[in-house]
Amino acid sequence: MLGTKLTPMCVCLLSSVLALGCSSEPKRVAVSGTVTLDGKPVSNCIVVLQSDSSEFGAGATAIAQEGKFSLSEETGPIPGKYFVLVHEDQPDLEEYEERRQSNPKNALNKQFVPDRYRSRSDLEVTVSASGDPLVIELSSKRR
């Protein structure tokens, strides 16, 4: 009699343990990379990896300094294909005020990234499960 009462409870407990161990949630990976424009490192830009699949969410965002960026496993993308968007990183208010005082005509960053990389571009990268470095090469000339 005792054995029949434990069986449903054991099945429920075993199912819960297996469900926790076999999570279907894709794992994010740490990744680093470089961003160049016409072969030169792009300084102070925002790199957005935008997934083309709603299954995995929005992707990841990093700030590149002197053409280099990195993302940790917590903030990195899930392995797969991504569209790449690149924007100039605009200064915060304090930095803007300093720039305005030293050079009033150029207080904001000059837009140097071509428009086609700022909105949904055709530039793609593939993030591997091993987190291989990404190379993002921008061109000022239309291809």
Side-chain angles (χ1 to χ4, degrees), residues 2 10 13 32-33 44-45 57 69 74 87 97 104 108 116 133 136:
L2 184 63
C10 289
L13 182 61
S32 62
N44 303 330
C45 68
F69 65 92
E74 292 80 34
H87 301 270
E97 285 299 322
L108 292 174
R116 68 182 173 281
I136 300 169

Side-chain angles (χ1 to χ4, degrees), residues 4-15:
T4 58
K5 288 185 179 183
L6 290 179
T7 302
M9 188 184 325
C10 289
V11 169
C12 183
L13 182 61
L14 183 60
S15 297

